[in-house]
Amino acid sequence: MAHGTKTIGIIGGGVAGLAAGVRLAKSGLHVRIFEARPKAGGCCATTTIDGFTFNDGALYLAVPQILEHAFAQLGMRLSEVLPLVRVSAPQTTYLPDGSRVVFGEGLDVYLIDPDGQRAQVDLSKLIERWGPLLQLFSERLLVEPFSFFRFLTQAGKFLPRLLGTVANELKHLFPDEVVRTAMAGMLLYTGLPATKTPAFQLIGLVSLLMDGIFLPAKGMGQIAECLESELIASGGELHLRYSVKQIHTRDGRVAALEMEEGERVAVDGVVSAVSGMHTAKLLGDAAPRRMQRKAIQSPLSHRAVAVQLGLSNRIDVPSHSISILPWFNEQQQFFEQSGADLRYFNYTVPTVTLPDLAPPGGSVVEMFPTIRQDLSVDAWDERAIGEVADSAIAALERLHKLDIAVKRVIGPKQYRDELGLYEGAAYGLSPAADVMALFGRVTEVPGLFQAGQTAYPGYGVSSSVMSGLFAADAVLHSLG
């Protein structure tokens, strides 16, 4: 190709950066990915300690058809390179009155009252009202480069619905408080109570019910491993433990990347697969005012502490994920807990689905207890996250015998400094942020393109991979 000798630098070796790298390498460009960590994958990676495999970020794969589409665009057949296992029992939610709601496979959701009587949950109104939106997003809006005009054109008639809150929608759809509470609990990963969660997040709930959630057969890190292998096979380069210090421009155009180690790499284009906020920081004074303003004003998501346990024993749980929740109108209490007495919490046991993530007879448990959001990132030192971990473990010990072989605790400081999450924000942009907070894949700096969660709507692995493809296509278009 005419531009076969041009060099494209990619900042960040998460799934967005890897996907962009594969696309560009297969197009004949010289691709160099610079990843600060000792391994690729970013938030879609795993760490194995003494035979126990823990997630570094992403816990499961949703909307698999989008990832299948993305892999096909890269010339990869998902079913062949990345076998997926469907989580047959996604969630069980326990309520204060002793009742529970069990989310089985697909639309098999049922309520068990305190006397043990079982009743099927009617999901017809939810599916009828939000199913078409899921179809629109998964089949059209999320598999093409995002355009606000196209979004308004195709989803405009749904805008009144999208601009509401989860709380109001669930009150309308589910008169039973037990069911309403459980449905709201499925969205607590956003870090927001239902009264503050935008209604469009219900698309994620409907996706879980209609499409299911999945795990790669060898854990979430297998997704990045597949992309990394394809990158290397296509001639791309992956530089680990290489941290970009600055993006340099010449005559207003991207010209070079300066590494923390002092090396300066000349480039013909750059895909920044780190957050748009971090991209603005790397540009320094060369960052356009609009980008600087957005970097300051963009609402960030919540911070988190991950408490991950490798157990020598198997714990008896009915589902992949377990939630102990307050009632619907009291779910703000879930986020206001502090101190040693953790009453409400959620935990996942991925070994329910993939036993091989632990040694024989063992279990992996992962928990994200709520933490104070008014503290600075640096306030979350070893003592602070240790106290959170102790509280979480004490809560679990009220339910299960825990023979702890490995304990891993990750706090906001580690998420910022080791995983590269801006200000330790778990998702980057807040789930409540609207599309105007996104950073465009084509920036105002010629030769610089943006990928990753802050550049494309939606949360999760599939949309991150798609963002990398779209950034890569923008690079190719710019080169003619």
Side-chain angles (χ1 to χ4, degrees), residues 46-273:
T46 49
T47 295
T48 300
I49 304 172
D50 295 342
F52 295 93
T53 298
F54 303 105
N55 292 305
D56 290 350
L59 301 178
Y60 56 81
L61 176 67
V63 204
Q65 62 268 34
I66 294 181
L67 189 65
E68 183 176 11
H69 175 84
F71 269 48
Q73 294 294 304
L74 294 172
M76 305 165 67
R77 188 182 295 274
L78 185 68
S79 60
E80 294 179 359
V81 300
L82 188 67
L84 299 177
V85 178
R86 183 167 182 151
V87 177
S88 59
Q91 169 97 6
T92 297
T93 300
Y94 294 85
L95 285 305
D97 68 345
S99 60
R100 62 189 185 272
V101 175
V102 179
F103 293 79
E105 189 163 352
L107 301 180
D108 183 23
V109 179
Y110 53 92
L111 184 159
I112 301 177
D113 69 20
D115 296 324
Q117 298 298 310
R118 171 172 164 163
Q120 196 75 23
V121 174
D122 182 4
L123 300 172
S124 58
K125 289 184 179 180
L126 174 69
I127 301 304
E128 180 182 355
R129 184 167 171 83
W130 287 91
L133 271 162
L134 170 63
Q135 183 177 15
L136 174 62
F137 273 78
S138 63
E139 296 181 5
R140 299 172 68 178
L141 291 175
L142 293 181
V143 295
E144 298 180 18
F146 180 74
S147 160
F148 188 63
F149 175 76
R150 186 163 56 84
F151 170 78
L152 288 177
T153 301
Q154 298 187 16
K157 66 179 181 179
F158 298 111
L159 274 183
R161 194 176 310 171
L162 292 168
L163 295 175
T165 67
V166 164
N168 287 338
E169 278 291 309
L170 292 181
K171 288 176 183 177
H172 170 72
L173 294 168
F174 298 104
D176 188 310
E177 187 177 17
V178 172
V179 175
R180 190 164 62 240
T181 298
M183 293 295 171
M186 295 294 285
L187 296 173
L188 290 178
Y189 66 84
T190 61
L192 299 167
T195 53
K196 296 182 180 179
T197 303
F200 64 76
Q201 291 293 338
L202 284 169
I203 295 172
L205 173 60
V206 174
S207 171
L208 180 148
L209 295 168
M210 296 184 68
D211 301 326
I213 60 174
F214 296 78
L215 296 176
K218 296 181 181 179
M220 291 299 292
Q222 191 178 6
I223 299 173
E225 291 169 6
C226 286
L227 291 170
E228 180 180 345
S229 295
E230 193 74 8
L231 172 79
I232 302 305
S234 303
E237 300 176 17
L238 175 61
H239 304 274
L240 301 176
R241 296 186 176 89
Y242 261 66
S243 182
V244 176
K245 179 181 180 181
Q246 187 173 353
I247 300 172
H248 289 281
T249 61
R250 183 186 304 117
D251 298 327
R253 181 182 177 82
V254 164
L257 297 176
E258 181 183 347
M259 304 299 153
E260 291 285 355
E261 297 77 10
E263 180 184 359
R264 189 179 176 109
V265 179
V267 294
D268 298 289
V270 168
V271 173
S272 180

Side-chain angles (χ1 to χ4, degrees), residues 272-284:
S272 180
V274 295
S275 73
M277 295 80 78
H278 193 63
T279 303
K281 182 178 178 181
L282 292 175
L283 281 168

